[in-house]
Amino acid sequence: MTPDPTTTPPAEAASAAVPDPTGPFGDFGGVYTPETLQHAIDQLAKAYQQARSDPAFDKQFTQLLRDYVGRATPLQSAQRLTEHIRAADDCPAGKGAQIWLKREDLAHTGAHKINNSLGQALLTVRMGKTRIIAETGAGQHGVACATAAAFLGLKCDVFMGTEDIRRQQPNVKRMELLGTRVVPVESGSKTLKDATNAAMRDWMATSEDTHYIIGSVVGPHPFPMIVRDFQAVIGRECRAQCLDQIGKLPDHLVACVGGGSNAAGLFYPFIDDASVKMVGVEAGGRSNQFGDHAAPLTYGSPGVLHGSLSYVLQNNDGQTAPVHSISAGLDYPGVGPEHAYWHDIGRVTYTDCTDHDALEAFLLLTRTEGIIPALESAHAVAHAVKMAKDLPTDQTLVINLSGRGDKDLDEAIRLLGM
Amino acid sequence: MNRIDRIFQDLRAPANEGGGKALMPYLTAGDPSVEATGRMLTAIQDAGASVCELGIPFSDPVADGPVIQASMTYALDHQVTVGQVFEMVSRVRPSLSIGLVAMVSFSIVHRIGLTKFVDDAKSAGFDGFIFPDLPLEASGPAREASAKAGLILSMLIAPTTPDDRAEQIARASTGFVYVVSTSGITGERAELPPELPKRIQRLRGVTDLPITVGFGISSAQHVREVVSVADAAIVGSGMMRRVAQARAKSEDQAVKIVGEFTRELASGLSPTAGASAGG
């Protein structure tokens, strides 16, 4: 398991075949959790294997994604944004890639999160469990779980740091309205990572009747694989839509990466398409100083957090670093292990985008396309705009517009000084 | 011979005055200060402890309940580092005879580097490890490194651990087997689970290692119940809750209370004191 730089496989070895049954993505992933959780994790792995090979489960999930979530979400040509880029002073003649948007903001509850929450809630019912728990930062995953719980008649408790409860009141109210109990987490930094700790602790004592719906492609195996699989509907739709609407595969995919579920969902079905280049955009925050950002793949190094080995932001003693991002959904010190794998084998490029640039892109997309994006998704927009200026006009670039920005209005308006 | 092995061997020797059972208090290193923790080690030794489970503070201790987490947060807020803990242990080790087992998240071990961490812990005077978030499947390299250094590595067995897996964990452990009494996190509980004696008896069939029980033990009566079937009782949250209350007054008070509470718990080691020893 010790990483050996001399044996790192070349990029073309990247394959959709990972993880193997024991869970590692190359050197990353695995299971680093207390023994108390092993039984629940084993049970989940078995239940998921059975569900995955059961056509009835797939049929039920697919049908609900269509009828309840509103899928397929559209792939939209962003004509005015593309023209804006091409008209910019710093865009050379003949440059300015054609931008397309994968409209996950149009999914029920306003973000891609519902794909995973609904999938895992169905799995909960299948396992005969009656209660779900979840962690949430910005509240989007919490709302998606509360929604799935209401829809399927499950009991739902969502753990949320008191700092986030203060910052995200509308989502707290939405969850409560949906019948979910929002459990305030006072420990540690009182944000997403502490909410995750609290959810794991609850699960240790309650796994008999409770399933923990983790909100991103993080945590111990099999969670990163399960979340990726449920989110992969984004990439599968997008691939088919590109072939249908553009007549070819896209040249570039761009998605924001916190834990990395929307990016994993978009990228995964394209991993074996060598011609498709992919970029994951992390939260660059205020600066590249430790504590000022939330970009583990850009500035961190391998470490163990929340049950798996991946890139993390830690100090030299292995203590989790404080993180910052304008976007609560990206404000997390770790990242999914499959992203760490794609990073190390060179299949996906990872970069970061500052709070400032994300906020500018937020406004730009709002004014050119009439779409108010989530601040998370605005990170992907910002980097895509930068990239497009160096790409020929006949190239296509798809941005995963992972969520809508209604939840961010107060924060954005305050920061824009409007 | 490793000190932990020797301690339990001595305890098991016939006609041992302590009744052959061990008390293993848990302390968070650095709460209220690294220096005070050093004095607490002497205090618990004087009060009848055999081994100390010394917790190295971690920012995200998933297996621990609110009391120990708050204790670790307190230590980290006061800038306690792994290096300071090792330095303190090497300073007090010569005056101590009790066993010292580091309870430390594998996140810390991975960051520092397994070999370096094990070597530094050994030089400081630790006798072994508990890595609460390192499951059996991932434990190979850590077991190898510990064995090479002559240190023990005890792994946890949960109530939800199936029998065959519990046997594998017991076989893979060295020093002692750590039985988690109840599902969930560390913390004080009013009653110990009734099925505990049966679980321990089953393990006796597959291992000769001493069996220790932790999670939820917080009184002399609990200790008495536990050691009627197991070899040692681990007390953590009850200890650190008292530390948190006492440190508001002074560090001296916190050191004193740790000694007093250990003495009280140690009274439970003797089967003669009062209530029946039945589990």
Side-chain angles (χ1 to χ4, degrees), chain A residues 31-36 38-39 187-188 193 197 200-201 204-205 301-304 309 312 314-320, chain B residues 57-64 69 76 81-82 106-108 110-111 132-133 135 156 158 160-161 165 169 183-185:
Chain A
V31 177
Y32 296 88
T33 50
E35 177 62 21
T36 315
Q38 287 296 317
H39 182 64
S187 56
K193 86 174 171 70
N197 294 338
M200 282 193 179
R201 288 193 185 108
M204 279 187 239
S301 51
V304 175
L309 173 62
V312 291
Q314 287 178 335
N315 72 12
N316 292 335
D317 258 6
Q319 310 293 352
T320 309
Chain B
F58 178 48
S59 52
D60 298 271
V62 170
D64 285 305
Q69 157 138 42
L76 291 175
T81 65
V82 178
F106 198 69
S107 296
I108 293 176
H110 183 274
R111 170 62 54 188
D133 47 7
L156 275 64
T160 48
T161 306
R165 183 178 168 86
I169 294 173
S183 285
I185 52 179

Side-chain angles (χ1 to χ4, degrees), chain A residues 74-375:
Chain A
L75 179 71
Q76 178 217 328
S77 168
Q79 211 43 54
R80 287 198 69 236
L81 178 63
T82 304
E83 283 162 17
H84 173 88
I85 291 166
R86 289 175 182 168
D89 292 342
D90 58 349
C91 184
K95 301 281 180 170
Q98 171 68 45
I99 310 261
W100 292 74
L101 304 171
K102 178 60 177 162
R103 297 289 306 277
E104 289 300 298
D105 61 311
L106 293 176
H108 180 41
T109 71
H112 71 291
K113 291 289 185 189
I114 189 73
N115 303 328
N116 169 53
S117 301
L118 187 63
Q120 289 204 51
L122 289 175
L123 213 50
T124 306
V125 173
R126 206 184 152 90
M127 288 188 286
K129 297 183 178 186
T130 54
R131 174 176 174 254
I132 57 176
I133 54 171
E135 83 294 340
T136 199
Q140 289 305 100
H141 174 56
V143 166
C145 285
T147 301
F151 180 66
L152 294 171
L154 297 166
K155 194 167 176 263
C156 179
D157 289 342
V158 171
F159 294 86
M160 192 169 185
T162 48
E163 183 59 23
D164 289 332
I165 287 178
R166 190 186 59 74
R167 292 190 289 195
Q168 308 286 338
Q169 265 303 310
N171 273 343
V172 174
K173 292 283 175 260
R174 283 168 87 191
M175 285 186 270
E176 287 173 349
L177 203 57
L178 287 157
T180 280
R181 186 169 69 111
V182 178
V183 184
V185 178
E186 282 281 2
S187 56
S189 62
K190 304 176 177 65
T191 59
L192 178 57
K193 86 174 171 70
D194 306 283
T196 307
N197 294 338
M200 282 193 179
R201 288 193 185 108
D202 180 290
W203 201 36
M204 279 187 239
T206 62
S207 61
E208 213 154 295
D209 71 347
T210 298
H211 176 57
Y212 174 25
I213 303 190
I214 209 160
S216 192
V217 286
V218 299
H221 179 75
F223 278 115
M225 176 180 77
I226 292 175
V227 179
R228 175 203 69 195
D229 289 352
F230 286 142
Q231 292 294 0
V233 65
I234 303 172
R236 283 198 305 271
E237 283 175 8
C238 183
R239 197 171 182 283
Q241 286 164 328
C242 285
L243 293 174
D244 180 42
Q245 294 172 239
I246 309 171
K248 57 171 188 166
L249 288 175
D251 298 295
H252 304 271
L253 302 175
V254 181
C256 66
V257 176
S261 71
N262 89 81
L266 177 66
F267 294 168
Y268 183 65
F270 290 94
I271 282 290
D272 292 334
D273 296 317
S275 69
V276 180
K277 298 182 187 69
M278 308 179 191
V279 183
V281 186
E282 297 191 303
R286 290 180 290 248
S287 81
N288 60 9
Q289 297 297 302
F290 196 70
D292 269 3
H293 59 79
L297 287 167
T298 311
Y299 302 113
S301 51
V304 175
L305 177 68
H306 289 149
S308 62
L309 173 62
S310 185
Y311 276 70
V312 291
L313 293 166
Q314 287 178 335
N315 72 12
N316 292 335
D317 258 6
Q319 310 293 352
T320 309
V323 285
H324 164 81
S325 169
I326 188 176
S327 134
L330 302 182
D331 207 353
Y332 182 68
V335 65
E338 193 161 22
H339 286 295
Y341 171 67
W342 288 338
H343 172 272
D344 275 22
I345 61 169
R347 179 63 186 94
V348 179
T349 305
Y350 295 88
T351 184
D352 67 325
C353 157
T354 63
D355 285 351
H356 174 267
D357 290 357
L359 194 62
E360 263 187 6
F362 172 89
L363 196 58
L364 177 65
L365 192 75
T366 302
R367 299 274 166 95
T368 53
E369 296 292 334
I371 299 167
I372 302 175
L375 282 172

Side-chain angles (χ1 to χ4, degrees), chain B residues 1 9 13 22 45 99 105 109 112 125 138 141 168 175 187 245:
Chain B
M1 187 185 227
Q9 194 184 62
Q45 172 169 303
S105 167
V109 179
I112 289 172
Q168 289 171 27
Q245 285 161 357

